[in-house]
Amino acid sequence: MNDAEMTSEDGGSEASTEAPNPEDFDPNSEVYWTLPMVLAWIVYRDSGEVRQMWDQYRSRCMDDAGTATVSLLHIAFLVNEDERSIAMSPAKAERALLGTLAVGSIAAWGIPLDGELRVEIPESEWADFGFFEGTGSRDEVRAGPFGHGYHSVLLKSRAVRQAWPAIQPPVPFSYEIDELERLPLFQAVIWCATGGAETTNEEVEQLGYISQGEKILFPLLARGNIAATGERPGDLIREDIPKSFWERAASERADDLIHFVDYTRDGIEPFGATAMRWHSIKIEFSALRSEIFPHASPDARTVSGQKRRRRKGGQIASVLEIIKDEFPDGLTGSISNRAVNERIKKRLSPETSPKSIQRAIGEARSGQEGH
């Protein structure tokens, strides 16, 4: 590998009076990234932020853009700290990069401070290295202020993106209420834990919503306050599940619950039995909502399925308009659903359902992907 093959850090072109089209400068298409580009990715996991640290792009944006440096990344981070989603701070990103290079998980190439040809930097040297700014604001990695080291360091962009994957936006947890106002068992459990508020699949797994929801739902079923139906294996007949079958579930005996509820099929099986008694269990949602929110108006509990669907469509359209107004540049992957919800919640109607908000955010994102 020689210098001719590694030209990612060379800006080259003259500045243009017109701002270049960002789509013409895709940093992911570059084989090698400079240190500022690498650290920008680790901090933000956003190709747009990497582009801002790419000298070739910077040289086309303005006459005095200057060379991107690690210190410039730190300054930009402090200036815009409250405006961008981050994975970690630049200081933590530096430690993460040095640690990963020290164990040999990824490789880097640089020009020795006392040499001219670019070489692969031995992984054993990274344990002693730190980031320094040398002559002419040149980024260097050295063993102390006066130790040996390298400048013009490059890393393979693909290896960097694999070591620190892009942060995927959280997947909204969705509720599927059927035409008879029934909710699948697992969704009913989560609905009880959250009160119907917006949540994500990740939060369901991490925040203990299942056990919280069971402690609310199972006693209601055991007392007969809410109806539950299920299909018996081998036929398609749906029947009521006697409340006695929920009494053991409400006893809070964890060893019983392990053998009682099967959320993969929304089913239950009698204790000690080997066959499932019911599957595809559904919970009467209107009764559940009345139990959780007993002071809701009767009209809110008895609205027909058709009217509810029309209302939901109007809610989604309304939320979409608010999202477009609050986020004129669209919802980038770095903007989480929670951040969107926090921004728009003050403008939402009190009747707007969490599910309508989830659908609107999903449509806003999918609409962008289609352009």
Side-chain angles (χ1 to χ4, degrees):
M1 188 174 299
N2 56 48
D3 282 350
E5 296 172 312
M6 296 182 167
T7 58
S8 176
E9 82 277 21
D10 296 328
S13 58
E14 296 181 357
S16 172
T17 56
E18 296 183 4
N21 185 351
E23 294 183 1
D24 295 333
F25 291 84
D26 178 13
N28 294 341
S29 66
E30 292 293 293
V31 178
Y32 295 97
W33 283 352
T34 61
L35 283 177
M37 296 170 73
V38 170
L39 291 170
W41 173 261
I42 299 174
V43 170
Y44 297 106
R45 314 297 167 87
D46 186 326
S47 297
E49 299 294 341
V50 177
R51 185 183 299 112
Q52 297 300 319
M53 293 291 121
W54 186 8
D55 288 339
Q56 186 174 340
Y57 176 75
R58 292 170 61 81
S59 67
R60 293 285 301 275
C61 291
M62 58 192 81
D63 293 327
D64 58 350
T67 301
T69 63
V70 173
S71 61
L72 179 64
L73 176 67
H74 280 266
I75 294 171
F77 172 79
L78 293 175
V79 171
N80 303 290
E81 187 172 3
D82 298 330
E83 300 178 6
R84 304 174 185 174
S85 298
I86 67 168
M88 64 181 75
S89 68
K92 288 185 177 180
E94 288 182 3
R95 293 195 294 270
L97 177 58
L98 291 173
T100 303
L101 287 163
V103 297
S105 298
I106 57 177
W109 292 262
I111 300 174
L113 297 179
D114 58 356
E116 296 181 354
L117 298 179
R118 195 184 307 273
V119 297
E120 182 172 353
I121 302 173
E123 64 184 70
S124 59
E125 296 187 8
W126 285 106
D128 301 319
F129 279 173
F131 295 95
F132 294 87
E133 193 167 291
T135 305
S137 300
R138 181 180 67 183
D139 281 326
E140 299 174 353
V141 291
R142 295 200 303 259
F146 307 105
H148 78 285
Y150 303 82
H151 67 86
S152 305
V153 176
L154 297 177
L155 290 83
K156 288 187 176 181
S157 62
R158 178 177 294 182
V160 173
R161 297 196 304 273
Q162 289 175 343
W164 292 276
I167 299 174
Q168 300 299 324
V171 179
F173 183 86
S174 60
Y175 300 101
E176 301 170 358
I177 303 172
D178 67 15
E179 66 280 0
L180 298 179
E181 291 272 334
R182 298 176 305 191
L183 197 60
L185 175 62
F186 181 67
Q187 295 178 21
V189 167
I190 304 306
W191 195 92
C192 287
T194 64
E198 177 185 356
T199 187
T200 65
N201 292 343
E202 292 78 10
E203 290 176 339
V204 167
E205 296 177 0
Q206 298 170 6
L207 300 182
Y209 284 160
I210 296 176
S211 60
Q212 295 175 34
E214 288 175 343
K215 292 177 181 178
I216 298 172
L217 178 62
F218 291 167
L220 294 174
L221 292 166
R223 292 195 296 267
N225 299 43
I226 302 171
T229 62
E231 296 180 8
R232 284 185 176 274
D235 60 47
L236 299 177
I237 298 176
R238 180 170 290 278
E239 60 185 17
D240 291 331
I241 301 174
K243 64 179 183 179
S244 58
F245 275 90
W246 297 103
E247 291 176 358
R248 290 285 292 277
S251 68
E252 299 186 359
R253 292 178 58 185
D255 55 332
D256 288 340
L257 290 181
I258 292 174
H259 302 289
F260 185 77
V261 181
D262 177 6
Y263 287 125
T264 60
R265 298 179 61 191
D266 276 317
I268 58 174
E269 56 193 53
F271 301 93
T274 57
M276 183 171 292
R277 180 66 66 92
W278 292 283
H279 64 86
S280 303
I281 294 173
K282 294 191 175 183
I283 307 300
E284 183 184 9
F285 180 61
S286 59
L288 175 62
R289 185 169 50 193
S290 297
E291 289 291 334
I292 303 299
F293 301 111
H295 302 298
S297 67
D299 290 343
R301 297 197 300 263
T302 59
V303 63
S304 69
Q306 183 178 12
K307 184 176 180 181
R308 177 172 54 81
R309 285 192 291 272
R310 286 200 304 268
R311 183 183 66 182
K312 183 170 67 175
Q315 289 178 353
I316 293 172
S318 177
V319 176
L320 273 171
E321 287 301 316
I322 295 174
I323 292 174
K324 291 177 182 178
D325 186 42
E326 291 288 339
F327 299 90
D329 295 329
L331 301 182
T332 65
S334 61
I335 302 176
S336 68
N337 287 356
R338 181 179 294 275
V340 176
N341 191 50
E342 285 298 317
R343 176 84 71 85
I344 68 175
K345 66 181 181 181
K346 292 183 179 179
R347 298 180 57 182
L348 296 174
S349 164
E351 292 123 7
T352 305
S353 69
K355 188 172 182 180
S356 294
I357 299 172
Q358 294 173 15
R359 286 283 302 276
I361 294 174
E363 289 186 17
R365 293 191 187 281
S366 62
Q368 288 176 200
E369 295 171 357
H371 290 294

